[in-house]
Amino acid sequence: MSILKVARIGHPVVRAAAKAVPKEIIRDRLFQKLIDDMRETMYEYDGVGLAAPQVHEGLRLAVIHVRGSDERTETEVPFTVLINPVTTPIGEDNENGWEGCLSIPDLRGVVPRPKALKLEALDRAGEPYSLEAHGFLARVIQHECDHLDGRVYLDRMEDMRSLTFIKEFEDHVHHDEE
Ligand SMILES: [Zn+2]
């Protein structure tokens, strides 16, 4: 397995719409290796999710893993592969929450998102699945799916004044919230 180079904003791949994954390549060795390499890359950089365009692959593929020890979540979300994901918001409620991104290093900002959604996708065996997500998981899924359309969280921010370096976040924001 390899740790992949992460594309940062400014690289065109981060802003391009990704292509649907053809079902027939999902079981191919190279595609399975891409999934494994994305998992390693996400762990290496302490991400909770990673989308293929962030590793220079213009495919509708993302991986997610939210550990139970992560204070932003109430439940552990095991390693999950999203191929050709489609999300549909549930209800009208939006919620503000902090987001960061491996393609925008060292920054965090407050982003409004629908609170709950239904996800439909294929798993790494090419089998369809669906799930309902709320709270932090819904946020992570939406953040990763945005990457597949060439969108980053900055585009969704309503007030850029919350944009904060992680060190200042730890020193001031996080401190104040406790
Ligand atoms: Zn991101």
Side-chain angles (χ1 to χ4, degrees), residues 54 100-103 143-144 147 153:
Q54 292 184 277
C101 181
L102 298 182
S103 297
H143 178 116
E144 298 315 325
H147 276 302
Y153 77 84

Side-chain angles (χ1 to χ4, degrees), residues 123-136:
D123 66 16
R124 69 182 300 169
E127 298 298 329
Y129 67 93
S130 71
L131 58 84
E132 284 188 11
H134 304 263
F136 187 63

Side-chain angles (χ1 to χ4, degrees), residues 13-55:
V13 74
V14 177
R15 290 309 197 164
K19 293 195 174 72
V21 177
K23 225 185 154 190
E24 58 274 17
I25 74 160
I26 292 174
R27 287 167 175 272
D28 287 359
R29 193 181 58 82
L30 276 177
F31 189 78
Q32 292 291 318
K33 181 176 187 314
L34 174 61
I35 293 171
D36 291 334
D37 289 349
M38 284 175 62
R39 178 173 57 194
E40 287 309 298
T41 305
M42 172 174 69
Y43 292 163
E44 173 70 16
Y45 295 106
D46 293 323
V48 290
L50 187 68
Q54 292 184 277
V55 291

